[in-house]
Structure formats: C-alpha cells, structure tokens
Amino acid sequence: MKLFYSPGACSLAPHIVIREAALDVALDKITFGKERTTEDGRDFFSINPQGSVPALELDDGEVLTENAALLQFLAAQAPEKGLAPQEGMSRWRLLETLNFIATELHKGFSPLFHKPSPEARAALVERLQNRLALLQSKLGNKRYLLGDAFTIADAYAFVVLRWAHAFQIDLSGLPELKRYFQRLTARPAVQQALTEEGLPSP
Ligand SMILES: N[C@@H](CCC(=O)N[C@@H](CS)C(=O)NCC(=O)O)C(=O)O
C-alpha cells in the first residue's frame, strides 16, 4: 500500500495511524502546483482526480480517498490495536466524531490556507473557536476523544489542533483541549510522523 500525502496536510492523520498500527505502507509526497506529481513520477490527478490528499493506493491498484473512510480502512488492517472501536455506542460516537472533525473543523480551517481578508479571517476564527470549544466538550474529562484509548479520531483531531497552533488561534480559554493537544504531541507515533514529514514538533 502507498499513502499519498503533503507535509502537514490532513494526510498527516492517516500517516499517524500507519505508525500507531505499525502498518507496512509506503509514503509518497505530492508536489502541489499547477501540476501535481508523485514522487514515483506519476500525474497525481490520474490517481485521485480530485487532486487532494490523502489518497491510499492498495496493492491491487484500487485507490481509496476521503480521510474519514481511509482512516477506518487503515484501522481495520490492525483490529487488535483497537484504533476504531466497533462495539456498542462507541462505534457510533467514533463516526460522529470523525464527521464532526471533517466537516466542522477540517473544512472550517481550509479557507485560512488561502489568505482571507482580515474581516473574513476574524469571522472564520470566531466560528472555529466555537467548534474547538465543542471539541473540548466532547473530550470532557476523558484522556482521548472516545475514552482511555487513542483512536483514529484523535489522529485526525491532532491535525486540526496543529493547524490551530500554526494559525495562532487563541486556545487560552480551552485548557483541557491544550492539555489534550500536548498529550497527542507526546505520542511516539505522532513524533515519528512529524519527523518523517519534515515538520517541527509544535
Ligand atoms: N474530502 C477530502 C478533502 C481532503 C482535503 O481537503 N485535502 C487537502 C489537504 S488538507 C488538499 O489536498 N487540498 C488541495 C486541493 O484540494 O486542491 C477528505 O476529507 O479527505
């Protein structure tokens, strides 16, 4: 299998899961520009017509996209690691949380990457602070979003919290979320993925 990624993009979440689960998956960095090329010399649009990362190429040539689906696929390759709970209400809470991160946080951050006007930025940040406060409510007094154990939802949450840090979004009113971010950052798999993508530890 091969994961197509871009450093620090949302593809960092499956990269972390690959390291958490010790999966045998190769990495291929996409060069973003007018044309998008893979390290192995292919036109990335021929792999994912949407041109976005993450994309996972399976050994039979099938390509899986959409982070929420791809994260679950990776977790299913190592069920013994418990990265995607399948029992009882936890299963549905996992899906709820993945969708919340994808649609309310990930896509809430996306416009910040395109240099919005100061007014547009202020409105985006206000909305994101509300959604980050909701993420803290979901976390409650648990160690990870679903409970005591790290799951794929935490890998995805790490990516958006790293963006919050990079865009200097004030989290001073969200101390539990800040501690949670530090807890995630300290995980060896997170550190390994950051290093492999050439990123500093936040
Ligand atoms: N719907 C996709 C969106 C993925 C996405 O937004 N990827 C971003 C990086 S975080 C990207 O590749 N953007 C470049 C582009 O779409 O042109 C998913 O959830 O996986």
Side-chain angles (χ1 to χ4, degrees):
M1 284 191 284
K2 183 176 268 192
L3 176 73
F4 296 96
Y5 78 101
S6 175
C10 50
S11 46
L12 178 58
H15 186 177
I16 290 168
V17 168
I18 287 164
R19 296 299 171 237
E20 288 280 352
L23 297 175
D24 183 16
V25 179
L27 299 174
D28 191 311
K29 183 163 91 179
I30 300 305
T31 303
F32 273 88
K34 197 159 161 257
E35 293 177 354
R36 297 186 183 177
T37 45
T38 66
E39 277 181 299
D40 64 11
R42 289 180 283 167
D43 171 11
F44 184 50
F45 285 102
S46 72
I47 297 165
N48 179 10
Q50 189 168 302
S52 57
V53 293
L56 185 72
E57 190 175 47
L58 310 188
D59 293 340
D60 64 2
E62 265 208 56
V63 175
L64 195 57
T65 61
E66 295 302 317
N67 227 341
L70 202 149
L71 288 167
Q72 292 179 69
F73 177 87
L74 289 171
Q77 306 312 301
E80 72 284 1
K81 305 275 182 191
L83 291 168
Q86 297 297 312
E87 300 300 323
M89 198 60 196
S90 294
R91 178 180 185 185
W92 311 112
R93 288 282 173 227
L94 175 67
L95 296 184
E96 178 187 50
T97 310
L98 288 173
N99 280 285
F100 175 78
I101 297 171
T103 60
E104 301 294 336
L105 283 163
H106 176 179
K107 285 298 155 183
F109 271 102
S110 297
L112 287 182
F113 288 93
H114 301 288
K115 300 192 175 64
S117 67
E119 298 75 30
R121 187 186 195 281
L124 288 165
V125 168
E126 190 180 338
R127 188 175 167 86
L128 280 168
Q129 278 172 324
N130 169 276
R131 296 304 189 260
L132 289 164
L134 291 173
L135 187 69
Q136 180 174 271
S137 311
K138 288 177 190 299
L139 178 66
N141 56 11
K142 300 190 297 300
R143 209 170 150 67
Y144 294 106
L145 284 168
L146 273 285
D148 287 337
F150 178 93
T151 70
I152 54 176
D154 299 298
Y156 205 176
F158 174 78
V159 171
V160 292
L161 289 172
R162 186 182 160 275
W163 292 346
H165 179 79
F167 285 114
Q168 297 177 328
I169 291 179
D170 183 16
L171 296 184
S172 55
L174 301 171
E176 299 301 333
L177 202 61
K178 282 177 78 172
R179 276 195 284 277
Y180 167 65
F181 182 46
Q182 287 163 358
R183 203 174 300 136
L184 295 175
T185 303
R187 291 184 71 84
V190 171
Q191 287 295 318
Q192 185 180 352
L194 288 170
T195 303
E196 288 170 350
E197 296 199 5
L199 301 168
S201 187

